Amino acid sequence: MSFYIYSPQWFSGIDSLLEIITIITSLIISYYSFKTYKLFEIKRYKYFSISFLLFAIAFITKIISNLIIIMPVQKQIILPYLTYTYTSYIKLDIIENISFTIHKITLLLSILILFFILNKEKNIESIILTSILIIILGFLIKNYILFNFVIILILSYIMIISIIKDKIKYRIKSLFEIKKYSNISKFLIGLNLSYLTLFLAVEEHTFYFLGETILALTFMSVLISIIKIFKK
Amino acid sequence: MASKRNKIEIIYDILFAIKEKNNRIKITQLLHKANISHAKSKPYLEELFEKELIKEITEKKQKFFSLTDKGFEYLNKLDQMKKFMKTFEI
């Protein structure tokens, strides 16, 4: 199963181009988070870096799984007095399957790590158990893409609520100050909206285009704010 | 309650305090601005001298601390990373 089943025909391939923005931004976030961890020795940033690295890997493998990889094979037809050799092309399903499996695991893991960081979860046992349970569940459920959409929607929703609660409790005096929200809030709200729209693509494929565009715009906005910091 | 500062945060506060005072600060002002005791500041200042991030200048028989070019560069780098952390606030 691949993502193109939800994509409108005219959008096939363009989604991969949009995902390149997601990959670049995720890699940049991962790199600077790791640098932050090395410099300030704050462990959260190490896990944050791993989370975004996995996010980048998830989207690289998504692009690969959407590619139709073909391999040339020499074939022969032996007729009386004549042997005809020609080149045929076969689709390499194995690459699609492997990359899709990696995509499944890395995307879920990246969101789970982010979820545990933001919820300040320190119980390693519960972290490992929850992660294993969700990943196994993902493999058991037939429509994994839908399962992914639902899990990301739920987790991002919980994370947004937890950030809002945290902000109200410690930092902001009124909800009008929400505009000052950090990149992480921007990212989570964008991710949530994007996956909500992607979920609707099951019924109407145009929503796939909308979901992918929202995701790309979210990452683009985060990328611009990072560039502004490091442009010197 | 403010959390305990780690080494790099103390170094940042020292460098920032020097920069804030037009790159010319007396030790007492520095200790006050960076919120650090004289005894605790010693190893940090030694390290900053050793890495050539700060220098000592004498004017009218008074000693001041000042940032070197390398110190400005390092502070700028720390500033960028701090801004990055602030925008993600995890």
Side-chain angles (χ1 to χ4, degrees):
Chain A
M1 182 191 282
S2 200
F3 285 90
Y4 55 72
I5 58 162
Y6 295 123
S7 170
Q9 199 99 62
W10 58 269
F11 193 57
S12 287
I14 302 171
D15 57 344
S16 297
L17 288 177
L18 289 179
E19 278 155 6
I20 290 173
I21 299 170
T22 307
I23 295 166
I24 293 170
T25 312
S26 301
L27 288 174
I28 290 174
I29 295 173
S30 175
Y31 170 74
Y32 281 114
S33 302
F34 193 72
K35 248 180 126 178
T36 306
Y37 158 68
K38 281 295 218 186
L39 210 57
F40 290 91
E41 291 161 5
I42 304 172
K43 265 194 173 177
R44 285 195 308 276
Y45 281 90
K46 181 168 83 175
Y47 301 122
F48 195 63
S49 166
I50 295 170
S51 168
F52 275 89
L53 181 65
L54 288 171
F55 211 78
I57 294 170
F59 278 88
I60 291 169
T61 47
K62 187 190 168 200
I63 291 176
I64 296 171
S65 74
N66 277 348
L67 293 174
I68 296 166
I69 299 168
I70 49 173
M71 191 177 75
V73 183
Q74 293 291 322
K75 286 192 175 174
Q76 271 189 344
I77 299 173
I78 300 165
L79 298 167
Y81 313 112
L82 181 73
T83 304
Y84 179 65
T85 308
Y86 67 100
T87 308
S88 170
Y89 293 90
I90 54 161
K91 192 174 164 236
L92 285 180
D93 286 335
I94 188 162
I95 293 177
E96 184 188 319
N97 292 338
I98 291 171
S99 52
F100 189 64
T101 309
I102 297 171
H103 168 80
K104 281 179 192 180
I105 300 167
T106 48
L107 187 62
L108 270 187
L109 272 180
S110 73
I111 298 296
L112 279 167
I113 292 172
L114 205 57
F115 177 78
F116 292 129
I117 297 171
L118 290 175
N119 283 287
K120 297 174 180 72
E121 181 61 63
K122 282 175 183 163
N123 188 336
I124 299 292
E125 277 176 19
S126 88
I127 290 174
I128 293 172
L129 275 175
T130 317
S131 307
I132 291 174
L133 191 74
I134 289 182
I135 288 168
I136 290 176
L137 205 62
F139 274 94
L140 294 176
I141 286 173
K142 207 178 166 191
N143 193 334
Y144 187 78
I145 296 177
L146 269 187
F147 175 76
N148 236 359
F149 290 171
V150 173
I151 291 289
I152 293 173
L153 260 175
I154 295 170
L155 291 184
S156 59
Y157 178 75
I158 298 172
M159 285 189 268
I160 292 166
I161 296 295
S162 122
I163 286 182
I164 291 175
K165 273 187 183 170
D166 192 50
K167 291 268 175 186
I168 291 172
K169 200 173 170 186
Y170 297 107
R171 319 227 170 130
I172 63 168
K173 288 175 186 127
S174 78
L175 284 173
F176 293 107
E177 287 182 50
I178 277 179
K179 65 177 180 187
K180 284 181 188 169
Y181 262 20
S182 59
N183 268 333
I184 194 71
S185 322
K186 205 191 297 176
F187 165 74
L188 288 172
I189 293 168
L191 189 77
N192 192 275
L193 279 177
S194 158
Y195 275 83
L196 183 67
T197 324
L198 285 172
F199 185 73
L200 299 173
V202 179
E203 288 299 321
E204 171 55 54
H205 290 188
T206 317
F207 281 112
Y208 181 84
F209 154 73
L210 209 60
E212 285 282 313
T213 310
I214 294 172
L215 192 68
L217 287 175
T218 303
F219 273 89
M220 182 83 92
S221 147
V222 173
L223 182 64
I224 289 169
S225 82
I226 296 174
I227 290 171
K228 275 184 188 169
I229 297 171
F230 293 102
K231 70 180 174 187
K232 269 189 181 177
Chain B
M1 197 178 80
S3 58
K4 206 179 163 200
R5 290 180 296 175
N6 62 20
K7 184 186 164 188
I8 199 80
E9 280 169 321
I10 295 171
I11 285 176
Y12 175 83
D13 288 342
I14 292 172
L15 297 176
F16 187 74
I18 301 174
K19 189 194 165 195
E20 276 289 283
K21 268 279 179 181
N22 294 323
N23 198 26
R24 194 173 153 277
I25 195 169
K26 286 183 198 169
I27 181 78
T28 45
Q29 287 174 313
L30 177 63
L31 300 177
H32 175 70
K33 286 248 172 204
N35 193 22
I36 191 167
S37 68
H38 194 273
K40 272 192 175 176
S41 72
K42 237 183 158 185
Y44 294 110
L45 291 173
E46 274 172 14
E47 189 180 329
L48 291 172
F49 276 118
E50 208 175 286
K51 289 182 175 169
E52 295 174 350
L53 296 174
I54 59 171
K55 62 187 174 188
E56 207 175 58
I57 48 171
T58 312
E59 277 176 24
K60 293 174 190 166
K61 291 180 184 172
Q62 279 193 317
K63 281 182 180 175
F64 295 94
F65 290 109
S66 169
L67 293 182
T68 61
D69 287 346
K70 209 174 151 189
F72 271 112
E73 244 174 65
Y74 189 67
L75 180 63
N76 189 36
K77 190 180 155 197
L78 289 180
D79 230 4
Q80 285 179 331
M81 298 313 289
K82 267 185 107 81
K83 275 182 194 160
F84 175 79
M85 276 164 70
K86 208 178 169 192
T87 107
F88 277 98
E89 276 188 290
I90 52 165

